[in-house]
PDB file of all heavy atoms in Angstrom:
ATOM      1  N   LYS A 201      -2.621 -11.749 -13.514  1.00  0.00           N
ATOM      2  CA  LYS A 201      -3.347 -10.927 -12.556  1.00  0.00           C
ATOM      3  C   LYS A 201      -4.590 -11.670 -12.090  1.00  0.00           C
ATOM      4  O   LYS A 201      -5.332 -12.238 -12.893  1.00  0.00           O
ATOM      5  CB  LYS A 201      -3.755  -9.599 -13.223  1.00  0.00           C
ATOM      6  CG  LYS A 201      -4.653  -8.710 -12.353  1.00  0.00           C
ATOM      7  CD  LYS A 201      -3.985  -8.325 -11.037  1.00  0.00           C
ATOM      8  CE  LYS A 201      -4.926  -7.453 -10.192  1.00  0.00           C
ATOM      9  NZ  LYS A 201      -4.384  -7.249  -8.821  1.00  0.00           N
ATOM     10  N   VAL A 202      -4.805 -11.685 -10.784  1.00  0.00           N
ATOM     11  CA  VAL A 202      -5.979 -12.313 -10.185  1.00  0.00           C
ATOM     12  C   VAL A 202      -6.657 -11.288  -9.282  1.00  0.00           C
ATOM     13  O   VAL A 202      -6.011 -10.659  -8.447  1.00  0.00           O
ATOM     14  CB  VAL A 202      -5.589 -13.561  -9.355  1.00  0.00           C
ATOM     15  CG1 VAL A 202      -6.852 -14.213  -8.772  1.00  0.00           C
ATOM     16  CG2 VAL A 202      -4.821 -14.549 -10.203  1.00  0.00           C
ATOM     17  N   ASN A 203      -7.954 -11.102  -9.497  1.00  0.00           N
ATOM     18  CA  ASN A 203      -8.712 -10.141  -8.692  1.00  0.00           C
ATOM     19  C   ASN A 203      -9.311 -10.863  -7.494  1.00  0.00           C
ATOM     20  O   ASN A 203      -9.933 -11.916  -7.640  1.00  0.00           O
ATOM     21  CB  ASN A 203      -9.831  -9.510  -9.523  1.00  0.00           C
ATOM     22  CG  ASN A 203      -9.305  -8.834 -10.772  1.00  0.00           C
ATOM     23  OD1 ASN A 203      -8.406  -7.985 -10.692  1.00  0.00           O
ATOM     24  ND2 ASN A 203      -9.818  -9.213 -11.929  1.00  0.00           N
ATOM     25  N   ILE A 204      -9.140 -10.293  -6.318  1.00  0.00           N
ATOM     26  CA  ILE A 204      -9.745 -10.840  -5.103  1.00  0.00           C
ATOM     27  C   ILE A 204     -10.685  -9.794  -4.525  1.00  0.00           C
ATOM     28  O   ILE A 204     -10.277  -8.664  -4.257  1.00  0.00           O
ATOM     29  CB  ILE A 204      -8.698 -11.257  -4.069  1.00  0.00           C
ATOM     30  CG1 ILE A 204      -7.815 -12.357  -4.634  1.00  0.00           C
ATOM     31  CG2 ILE A 204      -9.392 -11.725  -2.786  1.00  0.00           C
ATOM     32  CD1 ILE A 204      -6.759 -12.861  -3.662  1.00  0.00           C
ATOM     33  N   ILE A 205     -11.935 -10.185  -4.365  1.00  0.00           N
ATOM     34  CA  ILE A 205     -12.966  -9.301  -3.801  1.00  0.00           C
ATOM     35  C   ILE A 205     -13.544  -9.996  -2.579  1.00  0.00           C
ATOM     36  O   ILE A 205     -13.967 -11.156  -2.659  1.00  0.00           O
ATOM     37  CB  ILE A 205     -14.074  -9.013  -4.826  1.00  0.00           C
ATOM     38  CG1 ILE A 205     -13.472  -8.334  -6.072  1.00  0.00           C
ATOM     39  CG2 ILE A 205     -15.155  -8.127  -4.206  1.00  0.00           C
ATOM     40  CD1 ILE A 205     -14.473  -8.202  -7.215  1.00  0.00           C
ATOM     41  N   ALA A 206     -13.564  -9.291  -1.457  1.00  0.00           N
ATOM     42  CA  ALA A 206     -14.121  -9.846  -0.227  1.00  0.00           C
ATOM     43  C   ALA A 206     -15.344  -9.028   0.147  1.00  0.00           C
ATOM     44  O   ALA A 206     -15.223  -7.874   0.606  1.00  0.00           O
ATOM     45  CB  ALA A 206     -13.092  -9.810   0.888  1.00  0.00           C
ATOM     46  N   HIS A 207     -16.520  -9.612  -0.060  1.00  0.00           N
ATOM     47  CA  HIS A 207     -17.764  -8.934   0.298  1.00  0.00           C
ATOM     48  C   HIS A 207     -18.176  -9.335   1.710  1.00  0.00           C
ATOM     49  O   HIS A 207     -17.836 -10.420   2.179  1.00  0.00           O
ATOM     50  CB  HIS A 207     -18.872  -9.235  -0.700  1.00  0.00           C
ATOM     51  CG  HIS A 207     -19.151  -8.069  -1.599  1.00  0.00           C
ATOM     52  ND1 HIS A 207     -19.762  -6.919  -1.138  1.00  0.00           N
ATOM     53  CD2 HIS A 207     -18.893  -7.854  -2.917  1.00  0.00           C
ATOM     54  CE1 HIS A 207     -19.871  -6.061  -2.140  1.00  0.00           C
ATOM     55  NE2 HIS A 207     -19.350  -6.603  -3.225  1.00  0.00           N
ATOM     56  N   ALA A 208     -18.909  -8.445   2.362  1.00  0.00           N
ATOM     57  CA  ALA A 208     -19.271  -8.618   3.778  1.00  0.00           C
ATOM     58  C   ALA A 208     -17.993  -8.818   4.586  1.00  0.00           C
ATOM     59  O   ALA A 208     -17.892  -9.739   5.405  1.00  0.00           O
ATOM     60  CB  ALA A 208     -20.243  -9.775   3.953  1.00  0.00           C
TER      61      ALA A 208
END
Side-chain angles (χ1 to χ4, degrees):
K201 174 60 180 171
V202 181
N203 303 306
I204 298 181
I205 301 172
H207 254 290

